[in-house]
Amino acid sequence: VIRVTDVATGKPGGTYNGHTGTVRRIEFLPDGKRFLSASFDRTVRLWELGKAGSAWLKKFDGFGEAAGVAVLPNDRFAVGCKDGTLVVC
């Protein structure tokens, strides 16, 4: 579960559900409206801010236990896995 809070107001911004493992990293895309989450459930999910719930925009499978995610240019991203592998998508 990912919980978002508006730091300017302190108000909850929604709960995002979907991962079945521990979420290890969240990274915002440059537009500030979407974010990626990497989880030990071996997935990375793309979310849209303001659309809480379990309606992720896209789910990426086939990783090891994702320990981190970084946004790259040209709508690409890199996933660092717990086993030391790095996957560029």
Side-chain angles (χ1 to χ4, degrees):
V1 174
I2 301 166
R3 290 181 180 84
V4 176
T5 301
D6 184 328
V7 294
T9 65
K11 294 181 181 180
T15 301
Y16 298 78
N17 304 299
H19 287 293
T20 58
T22 301
V23 174
R24 298 295 299 167
R25 179 79 176 181
I26 295 172
E27 187 75 26
F28 281 87
L29 277 70
D31 64 14
K33 298 176 183 178
R34 298 173 295 156
F35 65 93
L36 292 165
S37 57
S39 170
F40 278 176
D41 68 4
R42 302 178 184 272
T43 69
V44 171
R45 294 174 195 246
L46 176 65
W47 308 86
E48 186 172 353
L49 263 179
K51 294 194 176 181
S54 43
W56 58 85
L57 297 172
K58 190 161 186 178
K59 179 174 103 173
F60 304 91
D61 297 293
F63 304 104
E65 292 180 324
V69 63
V71 175
L72 304 174
N74 302 322
D75 290 329
R76 299 182 72 198
F77 64 92
V79 179
C81 299
K82 187 177 173 184
D83 65 5
T85 59
L86 178 68
V87 181
V88 177
C89 303

